[in-house]
Amino acid sequence: MKKDAYLIYSEDYHSYQFNENHPFNPIRSQLVYELLKESQLINDTDVLFPRVATDEELLLFHDSHYIEQVKKASQETINEQIAEQFGLGTEDTPIFKNMHEASSLIVGGTLTAVDAVLEGKANHAFNLGGGLHHGFKRKASGFCVYNDCAIGIKYIQKKYGLKVLYVDTDAHHGDGVQWAFYDDPTVCTLSIHETGRYLFPGTGGVNERGQGKGFGFSFNVPIDAFTEDDSFLVNYKKALSEIAEYFKPDIIFTQNGSDSHCYDPLTHLCTTMKTFQEIPKIAHEIAHKYCEGRWIAVAGGGYDYWRVVPRAWANVWLAMTNQQPSSEQIPKSWLEKWQKESNVTLPKTWTDDPSIVRNIPRKKEIEEYNSQILNRALDPLYIQQKKPFI
């Protein structure tokens, strides 16, 4: 009997760790998994262990020379100048031992999710280790060595021949995935992110619409800094609904960065857990409306890994399995274990008090700006006739 969903998880995801002070902390996936377990929202039969991606699978997107340099970096035998050319050994993406193996496991987790869904074992699958959307064909970038999202989509194309709608709600623009399919009309990318005026990677403007045969299949909604829940969700729901109707995908692939939350230390958006409850619910509806339920989800950015990430990503699983926590209270056992490790007070409820968002003097102006951006991104002539703006 087909399951609603599988969660792809392993403690071995902890091996993807740059250093102790790096903002990307792999403890995130363990915190999510244990929150689900302690809340009795998942059992052992719901979990699949990730496999390691082969070199042949990595080559679906990455250049062979790049993969060889990552392998050398893994054994700390790479020349410093060469490493820099490939984005390795930078402040964002430091070299660590067994980098290749750890990164290949994350990619393998996404491929495990793809096969679980497209071989008919489950309607949905969620890779807790995935979402490394900044990696390029020949270069590491933004904490991302191998781009599991791009490889996963290439894998879907090659093995299953399906049209993919990629939806990225990370606060940082999904640049690596966008450029990977910029001229491909069988992959439609939608990224809703904080404007690049203030934030890495500085791309993702509404004028980035694809090229060649791919023109009209790349969508960006760069919302303003300090955007709150309601404006974020209006843009997300309308953009996803209209683009799905336009593209009619065979499968939906979502990247679920949780760094738009007001607590996140690396971004300037001001959402609360309300946004992270709604994002996967709407994706779930779209998957069943257009894709016979086929939905692959991966994690992504999220750097307040104590207060935000566990609840945000748990909500992806809740949407996939049509569940709700039995209580508004976070399990006491989880709180007692992790409060000893955390340097901040852990939230005791699944939802946030709206008062955690400070007063935003420019709120009305921000909402108007976001509305204008959405209209530009979804101009009816552009969607229906693929005509450029004049």
Side-chain angles (χ1 to χ4, degrees):
M1 182 177 177
K2 182 187 288 189
K3 294 177 67 69
D4 283 332
Y6 277 113
L7 186 77
I8 318 302
Y9 171 72
S10 168
E11 290 184 3
D12 290 339
Y13 280 156
H14 287 212
S15 61
Y16 192 88
Q17 182 163 21
F18 296 105
N19 56 55
E20 291 184 0
N21 299 318
H22 197 281
F24 188 104
N25 192 323
I27 198 175
R28 305 179 310 167
S29 59
Q30 181 181 356
L31 291 168
V32 180
Y33 175 71
E34 292 195 9
L35 176 58
L36 290 170
K37 288 283 286 186
E38 293 301 316
S39 303
Q40 299 183 345
L41 293 166
I42 196 168
N43 58 57
D44 292 344
T45 63
D46 297 324
V47 180
L48 293 178
F49 292 106
R51 63 176 178 82
V52 176
T54 65
D55 284 7
E56 182 180 3
E57 289 165 342
L58 298 177
L59 286 165
L60 289 171
F61 173 61
H62 290 291
D63 181 86
S64 60
H65 298 293
Y66 173 64
I67 295 170
E68 289 305 311
Q69 296 307 319
V70 174
K71 289 180 178 179
K72 288 183 179 180
S74 298
Q75 302 306 316
E76 301 175 341
T77 61
I78 191 171
N79 176 282
E80 185 175 336
Q81 291 181 326
I82 294 176
E84 188 175 348
Q85 295 174 24
F86 289 95
L88 302 169
T90 64
E91 184 178 357
D92 276 358
T93 314
I95 290 169
F96 62 94
K97 190 171 179 60
N98 297 323
M99 173 185 278
H100 167 75
E101 291 78 9
S103 303
S104 298
L105 182 67
I106 286 176
V107 175
T110 295
L111 302 185
T112 299
V114 168
D115 283 334
V117 170
L118 294 182
E119 290 176 0
K121 298 174 184 176
N123 287 317
H124 325 304
F126 179 22
N127 179 19
L128 264 184
L132 305 183
H133 60 166
H134 293 306
F136 292 103
K137 185 179 181 70
R138 292 175 56 88
K139 191 173 185 179
S141 177
F143 314 161
C144 306
V145 179
Y146 294 143
N147 191 325
D148 67 288
C149 304
I151 296 169
I153 295 170
K154 293 279 189 181
Y155 183 79
I156 291 170
Q157 290 179 306
K158 181 179 180 181
K159 187 173 181 180
Y160 300 101
L162 302 180
K163 290 171 56 182
V164 182
L165 173 57
Y166 172 78
V167 183
D168 192 317
T169 50
D170 197 289
H172 301 86
H173 175 231
D175 57 342
V177 182
Q178 174 180 288
W179 303 129
F181 302 100
Y182 207 54
D183 59 357
D184 188 339
T186 69
V187 178
C188 184
T189 63
L190 165 63
S191 182
I192 302 177
H193 50 271
E194 182 183 332
T195 171
R197 292 201 309 271
Y198 314 108
L199 195 68
F200 173 90
T203 54
V206 291
N207 61 328
E208 296 170 17
R209 302 189 184 114
Q211 65 184 13
K213 292 182 179 179
F215 182 80
F217 297 99
S218 176
F219 293 86
N220 288 289
V221 186
I223 56 179
D224 207 358
F226 308 110
T227 292
E228 298 176 62
D229 289 316
D230 291 346
S231 183
F232 188 106
L233 289 170
V234 165
N235 280 32
Y236 167 73
K237 185 171 185 178
K238 184 175 181 181
L240 180 53
S241 299
E242 293 196 17
I243 291 168
E245 174 63 26
Y246 158 65
F247 184 64
K248 294 183 171 55
D250 298 317
I251 184 169
I252 184 171
F253 188 121
T254 66
Q255 196 270 16
N256 295 269
S258 59
D259 47 3
S260 66
H261 194 280
C262 63
Y263 284 158
D264 198 275
L266 300 188
T267 70
H268 314 97
L269 298 178
C270 291
T271 69
T272 70
M273 209 49 58
K274 176 181 176 180
T275 288
F276 300 104
Q277 291 173 322
E278 292 302 314
I279 283 174
K281 289 179 183 177
I282 297 168
H284 187 250
E285 292 174 7
I286 294 294
H288 280 286
K289 184 174 182 179
Y290 295 99
C291 310
E292 299 178 359
R294 293 185 289 263
W295 174 23
I296 307 298
V298 293
Y303 307 101
D304 190 315
Y305 44 86
W306 295 114
R307 295 178 293 181
V308 176
V309 171
R311 295 179 298 158
W313 291 349
N315 271 292
V316 177
W317 178 253
L318 295 179
M320 285 185 164
T321 54
N322 295 296
Q323 295 186 89
Q324 290 293 330
S326 60
S327 168
E328 168 63 6
Q329 304 300 309
I330 297 293
K332 186 177 179 181
S333 55
W334 187 89
L335 291 170
E336 288 178 347
K337 175 178 179 178
W338 292 111
Q339 187 60 73
K340 300 173 187 176
E341 308 291 333
S342 173
N343 59 353
V344 293
T345 300
L346 298 178
K348 294 181 172 57
T349 60
W350 283 90
T351 56
D352 288 324
D353 186 326
S355 67
I356 66 171
V357 179
R358 62 183 178 176
N359 181 51
I360 309 296
R362 294 176 52 246
K363 180 176 180 177
K364 184 176 181 181
E365 179 184 337
I366 290 168
E367 290 176 344
E368 289 175 353
Y369 171 86
N370 290 342
S371 179
Q372 292 169 6
I373 286 293
L374 180 64
N375 289 336
R376 287 180 61 194
L378 300 180
D379 183 281
L381 288 176
Y382 166 50
I383 289 181
Q384 296 172 15
Q385 301 176 32
K386 291 182 282 183
K387 291 182 177 179
F389 290 104
I390 299 175

